[in-house]
Amino acid sequence: MQTSPAHAAHHDDREIETLEEFDAVVPARGTLAGFRVQSVDLTDRTRELLATDTAGAVFLGCPMRESAAEKLRGDGALVFPPVPDLPFDPYRGLLYSPDELFDGLEKGYEHTPDALAYAWFQRTKADGDIYASMLRSVHDDAVSDALDELLRGAGVVGVMGGHAMARGTEAYAGAARLGRELTRAGFTVATGGGPGAMEAANLGAYAAPFEDTMLDEACELLAKAPSFTPSISDWARAAFEIRSRWPRGGQSVGIPTWFYGHEPPNAFASHIAKYFANATREDGLLARSNAGVVFLPGAAGTVQEIFDNATPNYYESRGEPTPMVLVNRVHWTEKLPTWPLLQALARERSMEARIALVDRIEHAPAALKRLTV
């Protein structure tokens, strides 16, 4: 998964999301009329802004000098100024990176942008303030836009599973091997972006370019901080140690939410689409898993995801049903008997040929392949 094709497309669809794009577009086009400029610091581009036509342009959260802002408004451009004193940028043009969300981790997780955004959410979500809810909505919409641009043309396989799966377990290692195999097969792995099974699948994607032994070593090292409780700081630092020891790993996507802010995002997803609204996040994750979804053992959240995915497959509201592979027969037929209901729903519908139950995680990629016609 490369980001460059998506970014090349911005110039055609009139979005500018970095200073490099701005500097390329202004001399090449000679105009910014009708463009959308998202969250680009234009403080040092006053001369260019004063000399360029910006009729009908929209500037979303771009710092700039007042003389430039006055000229833009005079041209008929809309200027949405940056919002002061927010721990996040509602107009952001790109997805988050682990380094961005965990910036300041050396002082403790509570000092990171991720923790500060969650604290802001906790303070504002109950007060019914239209301004705060609008900022959350604008942010989430900007994240969805960036996610669509990143995944354009990609074959995305979702890997769903519980946050409780501990590092150092065979189940965690299995989920990591699954992520690695899917990535090596050319898929983009997408998870809910949190700990447990989600982290394991993102770790596997990260490990894809390295020798197989790298993943074994990484799992062993991570086992020293098996869970994000009691210390998110220790849990996250262990992940960043892996990333610095084996830099430039494979790419994957994590799609977490501040709604479950007590669960931190994992540091192995190269691109993190973090949302305030969990419903937007859930639906978006499944809707973008266009090459199928693998469901590892989980609890209520994973059961919900199975049926959130089954419903559009049942009605074919997103077109052809996409493959669904459930892993662990005992879990999905006895512990939480989801499989019999899924089978009953699928009977005599086109989704019947798109569902599978496998015993072992190693069998999931082959099942996915078999269901993909």
Side-chain angles (χ1 to χ4, degrees):
M1 177 182 61
Q2 298 300 316
T3 52
S4 48
H7 285 290
H10 295 168
H11 298 163
D12 301 329
D13 60 18
R14 303 196 160 220
E15 282 184 24
I16 294 175
E17 295 164 351
T18 65
L19 200 54
E20 292 74 26
E21 287 180 350
F22 181 89
D23 288 342
V25 167
V26 171
R29 296 287 184 95
T31 179
L32 287 169
F35 272 78
R36 311 289 185 245
V37 188
Q38 260 178 285
S39 195
V40 178
D41 189 341
L42 299 173
T43 313
D44 296 330
R45 295 296 183 275
T46 305
R47 191 164 50 82
E48 289 83 350
L49 290 171
L50 293 177
T52 307
D53 178 18
T54 58
V58 179
F59 293 82
L60 297 165
C62 299
M64 63 179 74
R65 305 216 184 275
E66 189 48 44
S67 58
E70 270 178 45
K71 182 264 181 187
L72 300 184
R73 285 191 284 264
D75 277 357
L78 275 177
V79 180
F80 291 78
V83 181
D85 306 320
L86 268 189
F88 62 93
D89 176 4
Y91 303 118
R92 59 179 304 114
L94 304 170
L95 296 182
Y96 292 99
S97 68
D99 293 312
E100 184 182 358
L101 284 175
F102 285 103
D103 186 41
L105 181 65
E106 64 282 353
K107 298 198 290 282
Y109 171 72
E110 63 278 10
H111 297 284
T112 64
D114 187 63
L116 295 171
Y118 177 54
W120 177 88
F121 183 35
Q122 290 292 94
R123 281 196 308 276
T124 61
K125 70 179 180 183
D127 62 11
D129 178 10
I130 181 67
Y131 178 54
S133 66
M134 182 196 76
L135 291 173
R136 291 196 294 270
S137 298
V138 169
H139 169 275
D140 285 2
D141 199 57
V143 166
S144 288
D145 182 59
L147 187 56
D148 284 338
E149 286 168 358
L150 177 78
L151 295 179
R152 198 174 288 150
V156 181
V157 174
V159 179
M160 311 294 155
H163 63 262
M165 186 186 281
R167 293 166 170 176
T169 61
E170 183 44 46
Y172 183 97
R177 288 193 295 270
L178 173 68
R180 183 176 67 185
E181 186 163 342
L182 292 170
T183 303
R184 286 177 176 174
F187 293 109
T188 295
V189 169
T191 76
M198 298 172 275
E199 180 188 60
N202 288 127
L203 167 64
Y206 187 88
F210 300 102
E211 294 284 323
D212 285 2
T213 51
M214 173 268 174
L215 187 54
D216 302 332
E217 286 180 58
C219 285
E220 207 173 298
L221 291 167
L222 288 169
K224 293 171 188 162
S227 172
F228 63 97
T229 58
S231 167
I232 293 176
S233 301
D234 291 348
W235 174 85
R237 283 185 192 121
F240 278 99
E241 275 174 40
I242 301 295
R243 285 168 46 98
S244 60
R245 186 162 165 182
W246 290 280
R248 294 181 296 284
Q251 301 197 330
S252 67
V253 178
I255 306 182
T257 173
W258 279 295
F259 183 77
Y260 298 131
H262 58 286
E263 274 184 32
N266 78 71
F268 293 112
S270 53
H271 299 83
I272 301 176
K274 190 150 191 180
Y275 288 91
F276 288 106
N278 186 45
T280 309
R281 167 255 190 171
E282 286 275 8
D283 190 58
L285 172 53
L286 293 165
R288 289 176 177 87
S289 297
N290 56 8
V293 184
V294 178
F295 296 92
L296 304 178
T302 312
V303 171
Q304 179 184 341
E305 285 162 347
I306 288 171
F307 292 105
D308 277 349
N309 199 44
T311 303
N313 282 346
Y314 179 90
Y315 290 113
E316 297 191 43
S317 54
R318 291 183 187 137
E320 282 274 300
T322 49
M324 298 176 67
V325 179
L326 277 61
V327 175
N328 191 319
R329 191 172 299 274
V330 170
H331 188 85
W332 294 123
T333 60
E334 294 173 28
K335 193 173 177 188
L336 295 172
T338 306
W339 175 248
L341 178 52
L342 186 62
Q343 268 188 311
L345 273 174
R347 199 158 294 132
E348 294 173 15
R349 302 184 82 87
S350 54
M351 73 179 278
E352 191 169 19
R354 296 283 197 281
I355 63 169
L357 174 66
V358 298
D359 265 328
R360 297 170 58 78
I361 206 162
E362 289 77 18
H363 302 153
L368 202 59
K369 205 171 181 178
R370 195 172 68 244
L371 301 179
T372 305
V373 180

